[in-house]
Amino acid sequence: MGRDLHQRLTAARAAAPTYPEVGATRGGPLPAGYAHLRRRVHLGHGPDVLERAGRYVLGWGSQLGTGFAVHPHAPAAEGATVLLRIALPASRWPRLVIPCRVVWTVAEPDRIGFAYGTLPGHPECGEESFLVSMDADGEVWFEVAAFSRLAAWYARLGRPVAALCQYLAIERYLAAVASSV
């Protein structure tokens, strides 16, 4: 699997994102023509909570805490290409290998996070952001925002199941970050 993973990563690094609205999760309305998801959870209060949760998120904690493996594993950095891997339920094989590129990161006194976009081979087309923020009252929140369309034949074939899987993954991202702080 090591050689295959290396070849897939090399191909993903050479590929362009599969959608034109790169960076659209950074702020403002999400682009038309996609399904939108936006969910958030309260994490606590104060800069210590923000810093702890932000470190966890930038270290791919929401993905790792949901059962994904990240290759290569390093903190999220703008322009980095990764392969998210997950085994299908009740089976060691096959593993889905999902290519993504980090399209933006932020590390500010009141916001820490990143977004990744889809590359060829991803079952969807679009972008997902993972942002920890602190409001004016010091309350800390973790938000996942996404816009996507189904891209792979197997995702389109199982449209209701694919939509449910994305919703459940986002709920698990929220739970993983909340439990980390």
Side-chain angles (χ1 to χ4, degrees):
M1 182 73 166
R3 182 179 170 99
D4 179 53
L5 209 53
H6 177 72
Q7 289 173 337
R8 287 182 183 212
L9 182 60
T10 299
R13 285 179 173 153
T18 56
Y19 62 103
E21 303 89 349
V22 173
T25 56
R26 187 183 289 269
L30 298 175
Y34 297 88
H36 298 165
L37 280 173
R38 190 179 297 271
R39 293 274 295 119
R40 74 179 193 156
V41 64
H42 183 256
L43 299 178
H45 185 85
D48 289 343
V49 173
L50 174 78
E51 180 61 32
R52 240 184 0 263
R55 234 184 357 262
Y56 185 78
V57 166
L58 288 176
W60 298 90
S62 51
Q63 289 75 19
L64 296 169
T66 303
F68 285 95
V70 179
H71 176 78
H73 188 264
E78 192 167 331
T81 299
V82 300
L83 302 176
L84 299 177
R85 298 180 299 144
I86 191 161
L88 297 175
S91 170
R92 181 176 154 97
W93 301 104
R95 265 182 124 70
L96 289 179
V97 178
I98 305 167
C100 303
R101 178 158 306 126
V102 177
V103 296
W104 61 262
T105 61
V106 62
E108 297 172 352
D110 61 345
R111 297 177 348 129
I112 302 170
F114 74 100
Y116 62 68
T118 59
L119 295 171
H122 195 293
E124 296 178 329
C125 168
E127 193 171 292
E128 214 165 30
S129 67
F130 308 88
L131 184 65
V132 180
S133 62
M134 186 169 58
D135 66 20
D137 295 326
E139 299 302 321
V140 180
W141 300 87
F142 173 57
E143 180 178 81
V144 178
F147 63 91
S148 63
R149 287 191 292 252
L150 299 175
W153 66 267
Y154 55 86
R156 288 191 308 270
L157 184 63
R159 182 176 307 275
V161 173
L164 177 63
C165 287
Q166 183 183 34
Y167 175 80
L168 292 174
I170 288 175
E171 291 300 310
R172 291 181 70 190
Y173 293 154
L174 295 168
V177 174
S179 69
S180 77
V181 296

